[in-house]
Amino acid sequence: MTDTDDETDLHWMRQALALARQAEELHGEVPVGALLVLDGRVIGEGHNHNIGLNDPSAHAEIQALREAGRRIGNYRFPGATLYVTLEPCAMCAMAMIHARVARVVFGAADPKTGAAGSVFDTLISERHNHRIAVRGGVAAEESGALLRAFFRKRR
């Protein structure tokens, strides 16, 4: 990683954090945000919305992938990087593999269901026909604090 890579990843992660805040503020959802970037531009963005949509698959990453597909008219995104504030779960990880996302950058690790190294190694498994480069811990403290505050209010 170069300093430029670090700055770029932090820039996009800050936008994902803004989407995470929208999830909570606008919809009362768990604050997770995601965006898909290709060639320096956002092609899809989303935040958790499974409660409001009554859809267990409406995680931030899936929402971003769906929007990108509609926007560019394809379901595959080679060369794209997905930025997400929380380590992806197995469902989201498999969607990214099927979508041929090149890279995932996440904020906070998820020690309960993380599929990017915390619990499962889904994104880099040799069993799949596509592997995704993973970088975790970008703006991890801010991402984690947002989630902890949300759940503290719910208790």
Side-chain angles (χ1 to χ4, degrees):
M1 281 284 133
T2 66
D3 287 343
T4 303
D5 293 334
D6 288 344
E7 290 171 23
T8 299
D9 286 349
L10 190 56
H11 166 78
W12 295 118
M13 187 60 73
R14 293 213 184 288
Q15 288 192 35
L17 282 161
L19 291 167
R21 286 186 200 90
Q22 284 181 15
E24 180 178 9
E25 292 166 5
L26 299 178
H27 306 289
E29 302 273 356
V30 177
V32 178
L35 51 101
L36 191 63
V37 176
L38 181 63
D39 297 330
R41 67 184 181 95
V42 175
I43 61 170
E45 61 181 41
H47 57 68
N48 272 8
H49 203 36
N50 46 315
I51 298 167
L53 294 177
N54 298 310
D55 180 353
S57 69
H59 288 192
E61 301 96 320
I62 301 295
Q63 299 291 81
L65 292 170
R66 286 176 178 158
E67 182 178 271
R70 285 189 298 271
R71 188 174 284 173
I72 69 168
N74 200 338
Y75 69 104
R76 295 246 169 112
F77 313 109
T81 298
L82 192 137
Y83 293 88
V84 60
T85 59
L86 179 65
E87 181 180 2
C89 69
M91 174 186 67
C92 293
M94 286 308 301
M96 290 178 233
I97 289 168
H98 290 300
R100 302 298 192 267
V101 170
R103 186 167 173 256
V104 171
V105 177
F106 69 87
D110 185 346
K112 294 181 180 178
T113 63
S118 290
V119 179
F120 307 105
D121 288 322
T122 306
L123 294 174
I124 60 168
S125 174
E126 292 180 11
R127 293 175 180 241
H128 303 300
N129 60 351
H130 178 72
R131 278 167 282 302
I132 298 175
V134 176
R135 180 176 186 209
V138 175
E141 184 52 43
E142 192 173 350
S143 296
L146 195 60
L147 288 160
R148 284 189 300 277
F150 174 82
F151 287 113
R152 201 172 11 253
K153 284 188 259 181
R154 299 290 262 219
R155 290 186 198 130

